[in-house]
Amino acid sequence: MTRKLLITGGAGFIGSHVVRLFVTKYPDYQIYNLDALTYAGNLENLTDIADTPNYHFIKADITDEQAIPALFAQYGFDGVIHLAAESHVDRSISDPFAFLRTNVFGTTNLLNAAKNAWKGNFEGKRFYHVSTDEVYGALAFDGTFFTENTKYDPHSPYSASKASSDHFVRAYNDTYGLPVVISNCSNNYGANHFPEKLIPLSINNIKNNRPIPIYGKGENVRDWLFVNDHARAIDTIFHTGKNGETYNIGGNNEWSNLDLIHKLCEIMDRKLGRAPGVSAKLITFVKDRAGHDLRYAIDSSKLQRELGWKPSLQFEEGLDKTVDWYLQNEAWLEHVTSGAYQKYYEKQYK
Ligand code: NAD
Ligand code: DAU
């Protein structure tokens, strides 16, 4: 089988791992990485595969109503894995419209382009929408989990925009028969994570002896999944998931932010040759995030039972590997923090 697969947001954190997995695992597929290269898009995430014959980069914005249908006509994509999004909750609080535009309008523009290009001939076609557990709202400290049947209850502009995009995906399935599949995943961590998010921000700050900002009391709980395990789940669901279905993906690794940061400080002390307890002195409690969801926890038993996926790494091992990656890839981090990464496209493609 030859596929012409459009992956959106492939220059971002998770997208780059998905692109690498598909380019290397499926040499018969043509992989088109479409990305607008916002501040979060970094082609330095993909330098190792940039010259692979089945990899193609397209700089485009998913909200572009002319360009997106034209690209479907030009390349004849028969599958879509849609990851492009505005992804940072704090940014959604200061600029909700950017999230509305990309996450809601952009997703609908892609759905519509796929529907029009495939013209009701859906044999061998698939539109896979990558979503988040944040659409389900927040859990109490009561041992419950988000399942695929949990009622949507988003609280931030980010999660509201992702919830809305999920609804549009289901509406295109119900109304036009578009073959879709959705997954809702918990917090990812690993290599190439943009250092505005808790783990890479903290690694960078600890390394540079800067304060580690903990929102509120640090009691909020997240369920952490190693990014390569998410990429493997996407591969499994894209190829074997059922049309119209939703699959929750999670690591079963619940950590409060404060416990997580203490664990990270221990690892950093060890790897940087610091005395135990030195990095933890950088912990600084700051004003809480507005509308801060208390706890996320995913029940991924449907995916495990029906499609046979399971996470490969426990959190402490994954966190250790992640710290190693950041310490061994200082140039990547330096290019992100200095802004040099944004010049890569001009150098490589112009
Ligand atoms: P990211 O912010 O690292 O990357 C997003 C990518 O999308 C960037 O490369 C950016 O340039 C691109 N992009 C943004 N707006 C665009 C537009 N208008 N047109 C084309 N490209 C655009 O995000 P991420 O953390 O890799 O998340 C990827 C997807 O996975 C998102 O849909 C997110 O909601 C979802 N998700 C993320 C997590 C997580 O923990 N990071 C967990 C569950 C689900
Ligand atoms: O649950 C999946 C979601 O995980 C994804 O859909 C989002 O795209 C992704 O960004 C992530 O959202 P979070 O808001 O959970 O991630 P973030 O790294 O921003 O924050 C993790 C927790 O740490 C959260 O409780 C807020 C807290 N935090 C975050 C930052 C950046 C701090 O205490 N201090 C910080 O400086």
Side-chain angles (χ1 to χ4, degrees):
M1 180 174 56
T2 304
R3 276 189 180 267
K4 294 182 177 179
L5 187 55
L6 172 65
I7 300 183
T8 70
F13 166 47
I14 302 169
S16 61
H17 290 276
V18 174
V19 165
R20 178 176 300 98
L21 179 66
F22 275 73
V23 164
T24 54
K25 187 170 172 188
Y26 302 108
D28 293 346
Y29 290 16
Q30 297 302 313
I31 304 298
Y32 299 87
N33 170 15
L34 184 153
D35 199 296
L37 300 181
T38 68
Y39 81 93
N42 183 352
L43 287 175
E44 291 190 23
N45 293 347
L46 290 168
T47 46
D48 56 325
I49 56 140
D51 295 326
T52 311
N54 67 332
Y55 170 74
H56 315 275
F57 178 68
I58 302 169
K59 185 169 190 283
D61 190 317
I62 59 165
T63 65
D64 188 326
E65 288 176 84
Q66 271 75 50
I68 296 298
L71 289 164
F72 270 83
Q74 182 179 352
Y75 294 107
F77 308 127
D78 49 23
V80 179
I81 302 181
H82 172 39
L83 296 111
E86 288 292 342
S87 70
H88 192 39
V89 173
D90 294 327
R91 287 179 189 257
S92 82
I93 294 168
S94 50
D95 184 10
F97 281 27
F99 288 68
L100 176 64
R101 272 192 297 274
T102 288
N103 299 357
V104 185
F105 186 81
T107 299
T108 310
N109 191 36
L110 276 171
L111 287 164
N112 214 51
K115 170 183 88 69
N116 290 341
W118 295 342
K119 297 188 177 73
N121 174 13
F122 296 138
E123 188 61 37
K125 311 287 199 303
R126 169 151 279 186
F127 189 109
Y128 181 164
H129 176 61
V130 175
S131 192
T132 171
D133 60 358
E134 300 203 9
V135 299
Y136 298 125
L139 297 165
F141 293 127
D142 58 1
T144 55
F145 294 88
F146 297 134
T147 74
E148 288 81 1
N149 297 320
T150 301
K151 188 169 84 60
Y152 274 32
D153 183 22
H155 299 142
S156 71
Y158 164 67
S159 53
S161 69
K162 292 294 291 186
S164 176
S165 66
D166 292 8
H167 290 318
F168 269 98
V169 174
R170 293 197 180 96
Y172 268 69
N173 179 242
D174 291 341
T175 309
Y176 308 109
L178 195 75
V180 306
V181 67
I182 299 180
S183 59
N184 295 84
C185 187
S186 64
N187 285 62
N188 285 215
Y189 69 100
N192 306 104
H193 205 180
F194 197 84
E196 64 182 351
K197 308 277 169 71
L198 180 66
I199 291 179
L201 175 85
S202 302
I203 293 174
N204 193 28
N205 285 11
I206 293 169
K207 197 167 143 258
N208 294 298
N209 274 307
R210 287 199 293 258
I212 310 166
I214 303 280
Y215 298 163
K217 296 185 188 134
E219 63 185 352
N220 305 67
V221 167
R222 297 291 181 264
D223 170 3
W224 293 93
L225 179 70
F226 196 53
V227 64
N228 303 72
D229 281 335
H230 189 188
R232 278 195 307 107
I234 288 173
D235 176 20
T236 301
I237 294 167
F238 180 74
H239 287 100
T240 61
K242 288 203 193 104
N243 277 337
E245 290 288 322
T246 296
Y247 298 90
N248 278 356
I249 312 172
N252 214 8
N253 273 302
E254 287 185 55
W255 285 74
S256 77
N257 294 337
L258 192 54
D259 287 348
L260 185 164
I261 292 303
H262 274 293
K263 175 55 65 186
L264 182 63
C265 288
E266 262 175 59
I267 296 175
M268 292 291 283
D269 281 345
R270 186 161 36 80
K271 297 205 186 263
L272 295 173
R274 293 180 181 170
V278 167
S279 297
K281 293 206 173 77
L282 298 168
I283 292 175
T284 308
F285 293 95
V286 300
K287 188 168 177 284
D288 208 353
R289 173 184 279 174
H292 197 171
D293 287 334
L294 186 60
R295 173 175 166 255
Y296 303 145
I298 276 275
D299 175 350
S300 65
S301 57
K302 175 179 173 185
L303 175 60
Q304 303 206 25
R305 194 179 55 249
E306 293 185 9
L307 306 186
W309 171 90
K310 60 176 192 310
S312 70
L313 276 189
Q314 284 306 301
F315 185 65
E316 293 181 52
E317 189 187 350
L319 195 57
D320 204 272
K321 275 175 179 273
T322 302
V323 170
D324 282 343
W325 187 86
Y326 278 91
L327 296 180
Q328 286 158 14
N329 289 274
E330 288 193 323
W332 182 91
L333 195 54
E334 197 279 316
H335 291 177
V336 171
T337 48
S338 68
Y341 73 110
Q342 287 174 314
K343 303 205 175 84
Y344 185 88
Y345 173 73
E346 305 294 324
K347 274 194 279 169
Q348 179 82 2
Y349 292 98
K350 288 232 153 162

